[in-house]
Amino acid sequence: MTSLPGTRRLLTTWALLMGLTVVSMGSALLDADDWQTLPLWSAGLVILATGFKAQRLLMVYLNLRKATPAWKGAFVGLVILTLALIGAGYLVGRMA
């Protein structure tokens, strides 16, 4: 038995990632006629989709689902920290 993800899992994950990319793009284009900062709900949707996509990349393509909890925690923690910094930057820019 191999510990590598199968073709079906890889293709399903790829399709899900592409779908979430379309959701992020659509969310950003909802206010395309108004070139101001994204509404809070739209930015939140983009950050949530990005977080889920990063989690799928880590677990499927980097195969961290087979790694120790320390590796999983470290990588997921770094993704959460990165998304928090992006969100904080968005909020600071919105308040300015």
Side-chain angles (χ1 to χ4, degrees):
M1 178 191 291
T2 180
S3 64
L4 298 175
T7 302
R8 182 175 179 178
R9 180 184 296 260
L10 290 171
L11 289 175
T12 302
T13 301
W14 176 81
L16 182 65
L17 293 174
M18 292 301 104
L20 286 171
T21 299
V22 170
V23 167
S24 296
M25 290 170 57
S27 173
L29 290 176
L30 288 178
D31 285 334
D33 56 335
D34 183 19
W35 290 100
Q36 301 299 317
T37 58
L38 290 175
L40 188 58
W41 66 269
S42 183
L45 181 63
V46 170
I47 289 175
L48 281 175
T50 303
F52 186 74
K53 286 168 59 174
Q55 189 268 348
R56 296 311 315 153
L57 283 170
L58 291 174
M59 296 305 152
V60 176
Y61 286 102
L62 292 181
N63 208 20
L64 283 183
R65 60 188 175 86
K66 297 289 185 178
T68 63
W71 280 109
K72 287 181 195 175
F75 277 98
V76 170
L78 287 171
V79 167
I80 290 171
L81 177 65
T82 301
L83 293 174
L85 288 172
I86 292 169
Y90 169 79
L91 291 174
V92 166
R94 189 168 173 84
M95 292 189 319

